[in-house]
């Protein structure tokens, strides 16, 4: 599979499928089933969040104001843009536009990396403010509702941490796609891996779309 | 799957709508709607998620089976939340539905300071005949 050939010698159609549209439909279905498991995976922590927020909305609101709204909003914009570049990458792959695909994959990787970088910056802020109640670190909270505030920050780190982990995995997959594209693959009828990665990436974006208001915008900020 | 190079416009439009809804989300959060803030935030997020699902994730062009599976994920989430909350609320394990219910009564203070599970466990302190 080396050399300057732009298409593989083998057919993209696996032998168990009748035709390519059927194979693509099956690929998509499989990915959606996986995304359903991911919905439940994140759903569990969202449930915990909802229970504790209903329990003490005031403490959650107070804790939420301690998060960096600027960086959170910027991160949301960055991630939404990366979803745009991702869907443009899928389009480029399907229409065999190799150069556009490379550019869009690179753009998605850069934006995704910026997101993770900003997250790291926010985590560092929380650590230096004593608002990281993990691994036995001290938690500095002098207002009422201490245990609820601590629960808020526990949930913040778990939810955004799991999300960031999914981002990093997505970035690794995108890097693999980039390498494959540079070797002349993943175009036209062979583009389904790009499409499926796009589904994963957009799902991770949707999770953040819910995370952002629930963590950063609790109860009439500013 | 047939797409031509001229069909970038839907993606740009959806992206613009998503960014606009982001601004709306932040601005609406500045208003004090009490419990309504949570509902509005989730509602706007759901609209954004639906836009991403339909257009970016190509659910509009997918088979009915894929759409059904995607919807079923949401349905199971709804089951999770409904059953869990019907449990919590009917056991009275959540503090009264009002904001800032601080220091009002001993029971409210217990509700704030002691995590729910701790309270359930400590309710059995002193049980010498446990299990009955």
């Amino acid at each position: 599979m080396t050399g300057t050939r732009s298409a593989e010698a083998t057919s993209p159609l696996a032998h168990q499928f009748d035709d390519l549209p059927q194979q693509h439909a099956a690929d998509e279905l499989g990915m959606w089933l996986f995304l359903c498991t991911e919905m439940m995976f994140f759903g569990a922590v969202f449930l915990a969040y909802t229970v504790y927020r209903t329990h003490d909305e005031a403490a959650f609101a107070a804790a939420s104001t301690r998060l960096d709204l600027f960086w959170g909003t910027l991160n949301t914009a960055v991630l939404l843009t990366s979803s745009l570049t991702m869907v443009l990458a899928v389009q480029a792959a399907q229409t065999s536009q190799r150069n556009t695909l490379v550019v869009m994959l690179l753009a998605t990787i850069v934006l995704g990396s910026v997101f993770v970088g900003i997250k790291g910056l926010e985590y560092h802020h929380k650590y230096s403010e004593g608002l990281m109640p993990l691994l036995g670190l001290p938690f500095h909270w002098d207002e009422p509702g201490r245990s609820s505030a601590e629960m808020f920050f526990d949930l913040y780190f778990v939810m955004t941490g799991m999300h960031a982990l999914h981002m990093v995995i997505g970035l690794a997959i995108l890097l693999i796609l980039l390498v494959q594209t540079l070797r002349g693959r993943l175009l036209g009828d062979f583009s389904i891996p790009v499409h499926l990665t796009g589904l994963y990436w957009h799902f991770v974006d949707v999770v953040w779309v819910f995370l952002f208001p629930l963590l950063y915008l609790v109860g009439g900020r500013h | 799957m047939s797409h031509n190079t001229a069909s970038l416009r839907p993606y740009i439009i959806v992206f613009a709508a998503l960014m606009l809804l982001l601004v709306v989300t932040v601005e609406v959060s500045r208003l004090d709607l009490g419990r309504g803030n949570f509902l509005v935030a989730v509602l706007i997020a759901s609209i954004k998620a639906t836009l991403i699902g339909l257009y970016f994730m190509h659910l509009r062009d997918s088979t009915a089976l894929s759409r059904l599976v995607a919807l079923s994920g949401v349905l199971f989430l709804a089951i999770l939340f409904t059953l869990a909350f019907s449990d919590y609320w009917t056991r009275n394990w959540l503090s009264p539905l009002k904001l800032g219910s601080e220091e009002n009564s001993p029971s409210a203070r217990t509700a704030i300071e002691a995590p729910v599970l701790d309270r359930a466990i400590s309710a059995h302190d002193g049980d010498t005949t446990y299990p009955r």
Side-chain angles (χ1 to χ4, degrees), chain A residues 24-25 28-29 32-33 35-36 39-40 43-44 46-47 49-51 53-58 73 76-77 80-81 83-84 87-88 90-91 94-95 97 144-145 147-148 195 199 202-203 205-206 209-210 212-214 217 219-222, chain B residues 1 3-5 7-8 11 15 18-19 22 25-26 29-31 35 37-38 41-42 45-46 48-49 52 56-59 62-63 65-66 69-70 73-74 76-77 80-81 84-85 88-89 93-95 97 99-100 102 111-113 116:
Chain A
H24 285 168
E28 243 185 37
L29 178 66
W32 273 110
L33 279 167
L35 292 181
C36 283
M39 284 186 222
M40 302 312 294
F46 273 99
L47 173 69
Y49 165 93
T50 310
V51 167
R53 174 168 173 172
T54 315
H55 185 67
D56 191 347
E57 175 115 11
T73 311
T76 311
L80 288 174
T81 311
S83 263
L84 176 66
V87 76
L88 293 176
V90 173
Q91 166 119 330
Q94 287 166 345
T95 54
Q97 297 174 72
S147 66
S148 294
H195 180 82
L199 287 178
H202 292 128
F203 176 78
D205 187 14
V206 166
V209 159
F210 280 96
F212 171 65
L214 294 183
L217 304 175
R221 279 196 76 155
H222 295 39
Chain B
M1 261 180 277
H3 297 261
N4 52 46
T5 44
S7 60
L8 287 185
Y11 299 140
F15 174 69
L18 289 170
M19 295 300 268
L22 172 61
T25 308
V26 175
S29 79
R30 294 172 193 259
L31 309 169
R35 291 266 165 194
N37 276 110
F38 182 51
V42 171
S46 301
K48 290 168 84 173
I52 293 175
F56 282 7
M57 295 172 95
H58 300 113
L59 270 178
S62 292
T63 60
L65 188 54
S66 284
V69 168
V74 179
F76 273 92
L77 266 181
L80 173 69
F81 273 77
F85 268 95
Y88 275 103
W89 265 323
W93 275 9
L94 297 173
S95 55
L97 289 180
L99 278 172
E102 305 282 344
I112 306 297
E113 292 305 326
V116 162

Side-chain angles (χ1 to χ4, degrees), chain A residues 139-169:
Chain A
F139 179 62
H140 297 140
W141 192 263
D142 300 318
E143 301 162 52
R146 184 192 169 84
S147 66
S148 294
E150 191 172 340
M151 180 54 68
F152 175 86
F153 282 102
D154 282 337
L155 285 165
Y156 167 76
F157 281 105
V158 167
M159 290 164 97
T160 59
M162 281 204 312
H163 177 265
L165 177 65
H166 279 72
M167 289 284 297
V168 169
I169 292 171

